[in-house]
Amino acid sequence: MTRLTAGDPGSGSGAWPRPGQGAGTDGGGRWGPTRRSCPVAEPGCGPSRGPRMLNVPSQAFPAPGSQQRVASQGRSKVPLKQGRSLMDWIRLTKSGKDLTGLKGQLIEVTEEELKKHNKKDDCWICIRGFVYNVSPYMEYHPGGEDELMRAAGTDGTDLFNEVHRWVNYESMLKECLVGRMAVKPAVPKDCQEGKRVLNGMLPKSQVTDILPREGPSSPSYDWFQTESAVTIVIYTKQKNINLDSVIVDLQDDSLRAEAVIKDHSYLIHIGLSHEVQENFSVRVIENVGKIEIVLQKKENVSWKYLGDPLEKHNSFIPKKDTGLHYRQCQLIAKEDVTHDTRLFCLKLPPSTHLQVPVGQHVYLKLSVTGAEIVKPYTPVSDSLLSDFKEPALSPNKYIYFLIKIYPAGLFTPELDRLQIGDLISVSGPEGNFKVSKLQEVEDLFLLAAGTGFTPMVTVLNYALAHVSSLRKVKLMFFNKTEDDIIWRCQLEKLASKDKRFHVEFVLSAPSPEWNGKQGHVSRALLSEFLQRSLENSRVFLCICGPTPFTEEGIRLLHDLNFSDDEIHGFTA
Ligand code: FAD
Ligand code: NAP
């Protein structure tokens, strides 16, 4: 396994792959990182070494930062009883116990039948057409029993989508599966009939039943061909479309293209009629909102039709209803950043076009003791000191993550065990941060705690490179100790390189030698820190960290008279 530490020989600079570059190889041609070292040897720049206390699990369970607690704002979080963690649930599902009471038999469930199972000890819920007996899961549900009971005996799909559509319930609840709903959910007519699409323009009557009643107007598509290429054109009818609005995957000659338009997705999903090469290109013509996907034919023959429609083809639906689509990415490098945080570099398949918008996150999926576990992570750039002039929309071949490994965590120890070359599933992007929020901002304040620093990385890079009105960016970075500060050296270097940027570290458990700021997020710390560069300057604030930190920070910002429009809190 490639894990480089401060003393590794061969330390060089800038050998990690950047967008548009190849990955570094070692002498033997294996993929792996060449360590990027801080150009100046300063204390705290490299990974910490020597014995020290690793992040001790908190008394409360699930721990404050645990995904077993993390929830969208306003949702209640309840302490789970001893022995009711996610790992305990996985163990129960593997025990062979009959969790449905149906001895493994699957049944068709009518609406009348579903309604009858509406009590805690007999609770059935329908999610996306499948019915689960969730009674055995009640005590393990991180959101609490009452939250689950809200959907008892009903179709809970909307509620589920609203709260945590990314949770891999199919895997988590597979032993609770009772069966299918007797009435099938509506599917697009072109899929039902297995109809061939002769050109992309389906008659309007065939798509209206899957179009949203409100929201942006529906895109359409068409296709044309030359001797060697097939071009699919999506007419989004929107002007603010760019390359990170399009996600394209080509897998075994089936093409899935998703155009994200506000909070809706337009999907093209086709089993292509002929073979194509795995490399394709995506172009966006912004002023007319047109997306072109250019596929290279394997054989120079004329295609009579584009292909057969697959699930949700030519549909325009709220993004939350599309389901997460995963592709397998390869771990190509891993580097220690602090004693418990690593920089992971994943390589996207060549047959994928995916660029994660600034401040958004994706989901990583791994199998942990046989169950699929999904957790959100926020991609970062490979370094804070990348050349700002690099085009923001250059093709992204690599995704970088700064991830803290929790020794007692469910997901991160498994992630840490991955070897260079191993594959991991990565979803499309999610999140409600929009770079348009930074338009015309003069003072940008970033408040981060621990790995809550990750969304700040791309926000900071974007603001310094693209927001011409920007006068000042200030980061207040809360950590326990000096050893926990991610990219301290880079942050300090950036501050000396770009006079608009200032960084302030606050430690909650500093060593006696620390002479910087101490404590937790507080009114006193914030009011001193949040000084505008001009009396009425246009200001924007971002905050991210453990949920209670973010909630407390937002409360304090309101107290200090910042409005909701001026604050973005990163939450699940
Ligand atoms: P968990 O199992 O969730 O455990 C977390 C903590 O709880 C650990 O301290 C663990 O020791 C403790 N714990 C677990 N079980 C017990 C128990 N039985 N008793 C007491 N304590 C226990 N993280 C990053 O590092 N980088 C990112 O870029 C990032 N982006 C994110 C983006 C979003 C939108 C969100 C919501 C979260 C993000 N996170 C990120 C956090 C990440 O999703 C995970 O929550 C985190 O990696 C922990 O996962 P885990 O399964 O390893 O730990
Ligand atoms: P950590 O090291 O445990 O904590 C970082 C700092 O925050 C410490 O100084 C800590 O003080 C302080 N802190 C913790 N809880 C606090 C609270 N309730 N009020 C005030 N200060 C508090 O952090 P971490 O383990 O890296 O966790 C980072 C968190 O960020 C995770 O929960 C993760 O899910 C979240 N995150 C969210 C996103 C997103 O986009 N939503 C992205 C990345 C990360 P103490 O010494 O007192 O603990």
Side-chain angles (χ1 to χ4, degrees):
M1 180 169 311
T2 312
R3 169 136 354 127
L4 296 164
T5 52
D8 280 326
S11 295
S13 63
W16 267 52
R18 287 163 194 273
Q21 286 182 351
T25 60
D26 62 18
R30 278 181 296 118
W31 290 112
T34 311
R35 201 181 112 74
R36 267 176 309 96
S37 57
C38 178
V40 195
E42 289 169 37
C45 292
S48 336
R49 312 171 81 198
R52 66 180 310 285
M53 285 261 287
L54 286 176
N55 183 53
V56 179
S58 66
Q59 296 307 307
F61 176 73
S66 168
Q67 272 308 288
Q68 296 171 58
R69 268 175 177 244
V70 172
S72 39
Q73 265 177 325
R75 195 154 61 86
S76 59
K77 299 145 213 165
V78 297
L80 299 175
K81 287 187 199 152
Q82 198 70 34
R84 294 293 182 270
S85 71
L86 189 50
M87 194 48 111
D88 295 315
W89 171 250
I90 293 170
R91 275 192 213 107
L92 177 64
T93 61
K94 305 263 169 240
S95 67
K97 199 172 167 193
D98 175 14
L99 296 182
T100 58
L102 295 171
K103 301 193 172 67
Q105 203 191 330
L106 294 180
I107 57 172
E108 279 225 328
V109 183
T110 59
E111 260 182 62
E112 295 70 46
E113 184 62 31
L114 179 64
K115 274 186 205 151
K116 290 183 204 158
H117 302 269
N118 61 357
K119 292 165 218 73
K120 265 192 189 159
D121 59 354
D122 177 20
C123 179
W124 290 9
I125 293 177
C126 170
I127 308 174
R128 299 181 192 151
F130 289 93
V131 178
Y132 298 89
N133 176 356
V134 297
S135 294
Y137 182 61
M138 285 280 168
E139 292 190 344
Y140 298 81
H141 183 232
E145 299 184 5
D146 293 346
E147 196 65 18
L148 264 188
M149 285 306 292
R150 284 174 64 196
T154 68
D155 187 338
T157 308
D158 285 347
L159 196 60
F160 178 84
N161 284 345
E162 216 175 273
V163 181
H164 39 210
R165 74 184 189 93
W166 51 274
V167 169
N168 193 349
Y169 69 96
E170 290 103 325
S171 167
M172 301 263 298
L173 294 180
K174 71 173 179 245
E175 298 305 321
C176 300
L177 183 65
V178 168
R180 250 180 196 280
M181 278 306 285
V183 184
K184 286 193 184 129
V187 288
K189 281 186 185 151
D190 55 323
C191 291
Q192 274 174 352
E193 292 162 12
K195 200 171 184 302
R196 287 178 168 183
V197 184
L198 291 175
N199 63 46
M201 310 296 274
L202 281 174
K204 219 175 171 23
S205 61
Q206 292 195 354
V207 288
T208 42
D209 54 345
I210 46 172
L211 298 183
R213 273 183 225 109
E214 48 194 51
S217 63
S218 174
S220 59
Y221 80 100
D222 204 349
W223 68 283
F224 61 88
Q225 59 185 314
T226 62
E227 202 178 307
S228 60
V230 165
T231 301
I232 298 169
V233 188
I234 300 174
Y235 303 94
T236 67
K237 302 174 190 162
Q238 301 291 319
K239 291 210 168 148
N240 53 351
I241 295 297
N242 50 42
L243 276 173
D244 61 17
S245 316
V246 198
I247 306 155
V248 185
D249 291 282
L250 196 55
Q251 274 162 3
D252 303 329
D253 290 323
S254 83
L255 175 90
R256 185 186 184 279
E258 181 175 352
V260 180
I261 299 159
K262 298 189 174 138
D263 53 359
H264 282 69
S265 280
Y266 178 65
L267 284 170
I268 299 287
H269 196 190
I270 295 175
L272 297 171
S273 64
H274 292 71
E275 287 188 333
V276 292
Q277 293 173 29
E278 65 176 4
N279 287 312
F280 57 84
S281 60
V282 179
R283 284 198 300 253
V284 170
I285 298 106
E286 281 185 42
N287 55 351
V288 286
K290 203 164 80 170
I291 298 166
E292 290 183 351
I293 303 163
V294 186
L295 307 170
Q296 299 303 325
K297 293 179 179 176
K298 266 200 180 154
E299 288 175 62
N300 291 354
V301 291
S302 173
W303 292 20
K304 293 206 170 58
Y305 68 106
L306 185 56
D308 299 307
L310 300 173
E311 197 190 355
K312 292 185 182 153
H313 170 62
N314 199 23
S315 62
F316 187 49
I317 45 184
K319 194 167 186 307
K320 64 181 171 56
D321 296 338
T322 54
L324 285 172
H325 183 77
Y326 288 87
R327 68 283 302 148
Q328 293 261 292
C329 295
Q330 194 176 36
L331 176 65
I332 62 151
K334 179 164 106 166
E335 180 184 279
D336 287 352
V337 172
T338 70
H339 63 101
D340 59 4
T341 304
R342 324 219 192 291
L343 181 64
F344 290 83
C345 175
L346 303 183
K347 187 172 186 238
L348 286 163
S351 52
T352 290
H353 166 91
L354 169 68
Q355 294 183 182
V356 181
V358 170
Q360 296 201 5
H361 54 271
V362 296
Y363 296 92
L364 299 184
K365 184 163 76 176
L366 273 179
S367 172
V368 180
T369 57
E372 282 190 337
I373 303 294
V374 175
K375 295 266 166 143
Y377 294 94
T378 313
V380 295
S381 48
D382 65 331
S383 146
L384 276 174
L385 303 168
S386 318
D387 181 4
F388 293 141
K389 292 188 185 73
E390 200 173 87
L393 300 178
S394 64
N396 281 7
K397 294 250 180 274
Y398 304 96
I399 309 190
Y400 301 88
F401 297 95
L402 280 167
I403 297 181
K404 173 167 167 175
I405 310 299
Y406 296 85
L410 186 66
F411 188 87
T412 49
E414 202 64 34
L415 179 75
D416 203 27
R417 277 193 279 275
L418 290 184
Q419 306 285 315
I420 301 302
D422 283 353
L423 298 173
I424 178 167
S425 298
V426 179
S427 79
E430 294 256 299
N432 52 10
F433 183 82
K434 298 268 180 305
V435 285
S436 55
K437 294 180 180 191
L438 300 175
Q439 244 167 34
E440 291 170 34
V441 162
E442 292 163 292
D443 292 330
L444 176 63
F445 296 107
L446 309 173
L447 306 173
T451 57
F453 170 62
T454 53
M456 308 306 171
V457 172
T458 49
V459 170
L460 181 58
N461 279 346
Y462 179 87
L464 289 173
H466 299 286
V467 181
S468 55
S469 52
L470 197 72
R471 250 191 232 111
K472 192 162 79 179
V473 189
K474 286 179 81 179
L475 168 70
M476 185 168 256
F477 195 2
F478 296 82
N479 284 282
K480 287 186 168 61
T481 69
E482 277 184 85
D483 288 348
D484 296 317
I485 303 174
I486 297 171
W487 282 352
R488 175 178 180 182
C489 173
Q490 291 194 35
L491 285 164
E492 287 173 345
K493 191 131 203 328
L494 181 62
S496 67
K497 192 174 145 195
D498 191 321
K499 293 295 163 224
R500 294 170 299 170
F501 177 63
H502 302 262
V503 60
E504 184 115 56
F505 301 111
V506 184
L507 300 181
S508 52
S511 67
E513 294 81 49
W514 176 251
N515 51 19
K517 292 246 169 359
Q518 303 192 12
H520 288 111
V521 63
S522 67
R523 192 186 163 105
L525 273 176
L526 293 187
S527 56
E528 187 195 330
F529 179 72
L530 302 172
Q531 298 295 327
R532 294 170 192 254
S533 58
L534 290 174
E535 198 183 336
N536 286 319
S537 62
R538 191 185 285 262
V539 63
F540 195 71
L541 300 110
C542 296
I543 179 161
C544 187
T547 306
F549 163 89
T550 306
E551 286 172 353
E552 173 64 2
I554 292 175
R555 195 188 64 73
L556 291 168
L557 293 175
H558 285 148
D559 274 4
L560 292 167
N561 291 324
F562 292 101
S563 70
D564 277 334
D565 285 349
E566 292 171 326
I567 304 169
H568 183 86
F570 287 89
T571 50

